[in-house]
């Protein structure tokens, strides 16, 4: 294992660590407290007149390398300390590109999950497209293709973002139902087997219904309406018809109003879908369903623990069409074990014949809680070059289906320096996805593992609160969780109304 010493301005060290991890993901990093290490990197920043500069120097034996990065944007953009951090990241990035003679990918120094937020801040300031892309390529060392992609997506999202006044009065709601038929090998979400954890399902749903009704009634009392609802998990359609109906009725009576423009039900596992469940969803106002094969290749489905075949995906999709759904999303994952470009082309060809309105493309993230991480020696993952080719293939296939990219986010522990992209036929973009990624609307999380984000319109500062992931803990604490959520909502609405 490589041992690195990171020194200098203490507030900048965490920033430096993020970039070091791009080059040395498994290294052990010390902060001014190591006796033995392979080399040292020192970080600092300075200001001269209107210009900020970040510095990085590397010391290895008799070798000394240094790099600086500066620009004048801080005077215009404000928040000088954040720009110091950006410039120090840029300096260390360029230094390590020279030292290692490799580049960690097209995103440059960008390690954040929501890169389009940068573009929205610049659009808020009145910047034009050309200037934004120059800033992204020069200020983040981002590839021109990624700068153009981010700007395209942000501009596409602008008509869907709420005004400050709308953001004061409209919220979105996420419902988490953390049960699945089985746990997929790649999964790191809070999801519990409906078999082994089945005894918890009924008391969990009783608690969930209570939270839906009490939080919904509170929102109604204070004059806030729900713009979008998303029922996720887990796999919500693992519920039987009676239980699903109970939850849908609670949503319809407590959350839905004339202002509710989108209602999504995650029906991710085709083996959990029935005609009756889809009819119930239509009856109680669901406007969008998500049917997620992840791949249409049978060997891969078996390897990742999916209990269905490709034919069941086609059957479930056609069942949703027959039920009247005209907005269907399908998820796929790039970088699954054993797959190559041919497998991705095969999956996309089959989905194109179905004609979904949305396609969400995930790049595999191998996280600690997943079976792939725990038993990585049993899985052959594609190389970074292969995954890059898969992304290009997917982009072209989505365009042929008449879709354009409309939201993007990144994750830690991906199989390469890539991204997750949502594509949609124009006019079929998922509003919830835009709101959750851009964080310009308060999101109320209800259910297992659900997170609430209280967003301040205009500044877009936010605070968060999370429900327990464990169903038993959620059940035991439901009254406390409801009261705490109402208190936080009360404080938030009082703050933004001033």
């Amino acid at each position: 294992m490589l041992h690195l010493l990171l020194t200098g301005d203490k507030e900048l060290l965490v920033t430096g660590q993020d970039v070091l991890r791009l080059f040395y993901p498994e290294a052990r990093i010390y902060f001014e407290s190591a006796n033995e290490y392979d080399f040292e990197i020192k970080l600092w920043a300075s200001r001269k007149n209107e210009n900020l500069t970040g510095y990085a120097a590397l010391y290895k034996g008799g070798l000394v390398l240094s790099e600086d990065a500066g620009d004048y944007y801080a005077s215009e953009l404000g928040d000088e300390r954040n720009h110091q951090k950006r410039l120090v990241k840029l300096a260390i990035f360029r230094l390590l590109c020279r030292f290692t003679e490799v580049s960690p990918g097209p995103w440059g120094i960008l390690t954040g999950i929501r890169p389009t937020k940068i573009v929205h801040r610049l659009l808020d300031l009145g910047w034009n497209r050309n200037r934004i892309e120059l800033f992204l390529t020069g200020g983040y060392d981002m590839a021109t293709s990624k700068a153009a992609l981010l700007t395209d997506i942000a501009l596409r999202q602008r008509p869907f973002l709420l005004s400050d006044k709308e953001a004061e009065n409209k919220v979105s709601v996420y419902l988490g139902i953390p049960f699945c038929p089985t746990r997929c090998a790649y999964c790191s979400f809070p999801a519990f087997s409906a078999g082994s954890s089945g005894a918890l399902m009924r008391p969990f749903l009783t608690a969930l219904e209570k939270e839906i009704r009490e939080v919904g009634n509170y929102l109604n009392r204070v004059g806030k309406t729900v713009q979008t609802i998303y029922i996720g998990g887990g796999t919500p359609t693992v519920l039987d018809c009676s239980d699903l109906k109970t939850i849908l009725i609670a949503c319809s009576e407590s959350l839905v109003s004339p202002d509710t423009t989108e209602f999504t039900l995650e029906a991710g596992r085709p083996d959990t879908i029935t005609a009756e469940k889809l009819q119930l969803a239509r009856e109680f106002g669901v406007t969008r369903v998500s049917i997620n094969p992840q791949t249409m290749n049978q060997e891969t489905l078996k390897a990742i623990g999916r209990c269905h075949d490709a034919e069941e995906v086609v059957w479930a999709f056609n069942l949703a069409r027959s039920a009247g759904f005209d907005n269907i999303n399908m998820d796929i994952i790039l970088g699954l074990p054993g797959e190559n470009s041919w497998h991705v082309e095969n999956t996309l060809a089959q989905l194109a014949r179905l004609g979904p309105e949305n396609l969400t493309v995930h790049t595999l993230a191998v996280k600690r809680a997943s079976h792939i991480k725990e038993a990585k020696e049993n899985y052959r993952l594609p190389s970074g070059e292969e995954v890059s080719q898969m992304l290009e293939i997917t982009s072209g296939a989505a365009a042929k289906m008449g879709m354009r990219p409309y939201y993007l986010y990144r994750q830690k522990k991906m199989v390469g320096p890539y991204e997750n992209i949502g594509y949609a036929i124009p006019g079929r973009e998922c509003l919830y996805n835009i709101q959750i990624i851009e964080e310009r609307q308060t999101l109320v999380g209800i259910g297992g593992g659900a997170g609430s984000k209280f967003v301040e319109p205009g500044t877009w500062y936010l605070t968060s609160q999370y429900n327990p992931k464990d169903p038993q803990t959620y059940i035991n604490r439901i009254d406390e969780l409801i009261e705490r959520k109402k208190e936080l909502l009360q404080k938030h609405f009082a703050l933004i109304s001033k």
Side-chain angles (χ1 to χ4, degrees):
M1 178 186 291
L2 195 65
H3 294 253
L4 307 178
L5 177 62
L6 198 58
T7 63
D9 184 325
K10 292 183 179 180
E11 196 176 338
L12 299 176
L13 297 187
V14 173
T15 295
Q17 180 179 230
D18 286 345
V19 177
L20 271 176
R21 293 291 181 202
L22 295 175
F23 293 85
Y24 304 110
E26 304 300 327
R28 185 166 184 179
I29 299 173
Y30 301 92
F31 299 96
E32 302 187 271
S33 60
N35 294 321
E36 294 184 9
Y37 48 87
D38 293 281
F39 59 86
E40 175 188 358
I41 294 179
K42 184 176 181 180
L43 308 174
W44 70 102
S46 70
R47 178 189 184 98
K48 185 176 181 181
N49 298 325
E50 295 300 315
N51 295 324
L52 289 178
T53 304
Y55 300 90
L58 184 149
Y59 307 92
K60 181 178 174 63
L63 174 67
V64 180
L65 292 175
S66 63
E67 187 73 51
D68 62 79
D71 63 37
Y72 59 86
Y73 289 109
S75 60
E76 181 176 354
L77 299 177
D79 202 352
E80 180 174 313
R81 193 57 171 166
N82 273 341
H83 286 287
Q84 284 185 343
K85 293 176 181 178
R86 175 178 60 82
L87 292 171
V88 164
K89 289 172 72 172
L90 200 56
I92 191 173
F93 182 84
R94 292 172 178 173
L95 176 69
L96 291 175
C97 283
R98 285 169 53 202
F99 180 64
T100 63
E101 298 184 345
V102 299
S103 172
W107 287 102
I109 65 170
L110 201 62
T111 57
I113 292 171
R114 296 174 168 83
T116 37
K117 291 178 72 173
I118 299 169
V119 181
H120 283 299
R121 286 196 292 268
L122 300 176
L123 289 169
D124 290 343
L125 293 171
W127 285 31
N128 64 31
R129 179 188 186 115
N130 184 59
R131 193 174 184 213
I132 290 170
E133 291 185 18
L134 286 174
F135 176 63
L136 295 175
T137 54
Y140 289 87
D141 273 10
M142 192 184 301
T144 55
S145 60
K146 298 303 182 188
L149 176 63
L150 283 188
T151 309
D152 271 343
I153 289 173
L155 289 170
R156 201 159 287 140
Q157 291 175 338
R158 295 297 277 189
F160 301 108
L161 299 184
L162 301 178
S163 68
D164 290 2
K165 188 64 177 176
E166 288 173 322
E168 288 181 12
N169 295 306
K170 292 183 180 182
V171 303
S172 283
V173 172
Y174 175 82
L175 268 68
I177 299 177
F179 296 97
C180 279
T182 58
R183 189 174 181 85
C184 297
Y186 55 79
C187 183
S188 61
F189 289 102
F192 299 81
S193 168
S196 60
S197 300
L200 291 173
M201 195 176 294
R202 189 55 55 82
F204 173 86
L205 293 173
T206 299
L208 176 63
E209 182 187 5
K210 184 174 186 178
E211 189 179 12
I212 292 169
R213 291 190 179 279
E214 293 211 19
V215 172
N217 290 341
Y218 174 80
L219 291 172
N220 290 331
R221 283 201 309 273
V222 297
K224 309 301 178 183
T225 58
V226 177
Q227 183 192 29
T228 74
I229 302 169
Y230 193 107
I231 304 181
T235 306
T237 44
V238 76
L239 304 183
D240 63 28
C241 286
S242 175
D243 289 334
L244 181 61
K245 183 176 182 179
T246 297
I247 297 306
L248 289 172
I249 289 173
C251 290
S252 177
E253 293 178 349
S254 302
L255 300 175
V256 174
S257 77
D259 285 340
T260 306
T261 56
E262 180 183 274
F263 189 168
T264 296
L265 174 66
E266 193 84 46
R269 296 279 287 263
D271 45 316
T272 67
I273 298 172
T274 67
E276 187 178 358
K277 291 177 187 179
L278 291 170
Q279 288 297 339
L280 280 172
R282 288 283 295 165
E283 179 183 348
F284 290 101
V286 173
T287 60
R288 180 178 179 271
V289 293
S290 189
I291 299 170
N292 305 331
Q294 313 305 2
T295 178
M296 294 292 277
N297 299 290
Q298 191 56 44
E299 287 185 7
T300 312
L301 288 170
K302 183 178 179 181
I304 62 177
R306 303 281 281 192
C307 299
H308 63 83
D309 57 28
E311 290 181 359
E312 286 181 86
V313 175
V314 175
W315 172 83
F317 184 94
N318 290 332
L319 204 62
R321 278 283 191 253
S322 298
F325 285 101
D326 60 2
N327 195 359
I328 302 176
N329 173 73
M330 304 190 86
D331 281 11
I332 64 172
I333 299 176
L334 306 183
L336 288 170
E339 292 213 338
N340 56 33
S341 294
W342 178 87
H343 295 97
V344 174
E345 288 175 340
N346 178 55
T347 290
L348 291 165
Q350 293 191 57
L351 298 192
R353 287 194 287 272
L354 295 174
E357 285 69 37
N358 297 175
L359 176 67
T360 306
V361 181
H362 300 275
T363 301
L364 180 67
V366 184
K367 295 193 174 180
R368 184 176 56 193
S370 70
H371 184 66
I372 290 178
K373 178 68 173 179
E374 294 171 351
K376 57 184 177 182
E377 67 279 358
N378 296 332
Y379 297 93
R380 187 199 72 79
L381 300 181
S383 68
E385 183 177 347
E386 287 178 301
V387 175
S388 181
Q389 291 172 353
M390 293 174 183
L391 281 163
E392 290 184 17
I393 290 167
T394 307
S395 175
K400 287 182 180 178
M401 285 189 268
M403 297 182 184
R404 302 183 301 182
Y406 77 99
Y407 85 108
L408 179 152
Y409 69 101
R410 304 185 70 217
Q411 291 175 278
K412 296 185 184 298
K413 307 297 183 182
M414 281 181 162
V415 292
Y418 306 115
E419 63 276 348
N420 302 323
I421 303 181
Y423 296 91
I425 291 172
R428 297 295 188 178
E429 296 86 354
C430 176
L431 298 180
Y432 172 85
N433 284 338
I434 294 173
Q435 301 291 13
I436 188 64
I437 295 301
E438 302 313 325
E439 297 181 327
R440 294 206 169 199
Q441 181 187 44
T442 290
L443 170 71
V444 182
I446 295 174
S452 296
K453 297 183 178 182
F454 308 102
V455 178
E456 182 181 325
T459 66
W460 311 117
Y461 295 144
L462 63 86
T463 55
S464 301
Q465 180 261 344
Y466 292 87
N467 281 354
K469 296 179 181 180
D470 173 61
Q472 187 65 66
T473 305
Y474 174 78
I475 294 163
N476 294 343
R477 294 179 54 198
I478 187 60
D479 292 331
E480 169 201 340
L481 292 169
I482 290 170
E483 290 309 308
R484 177 62 176 154
K485 189 159 292 156
K486 289 193 286 189
E487 288 174 10
L488 290 170
L489 285 167
Q490 183 179 22
K491 289 179 182 177
H492 174 66
F493 294 141
L495 174 67
I496 64 176
S497 65
K498 288 183 179 179

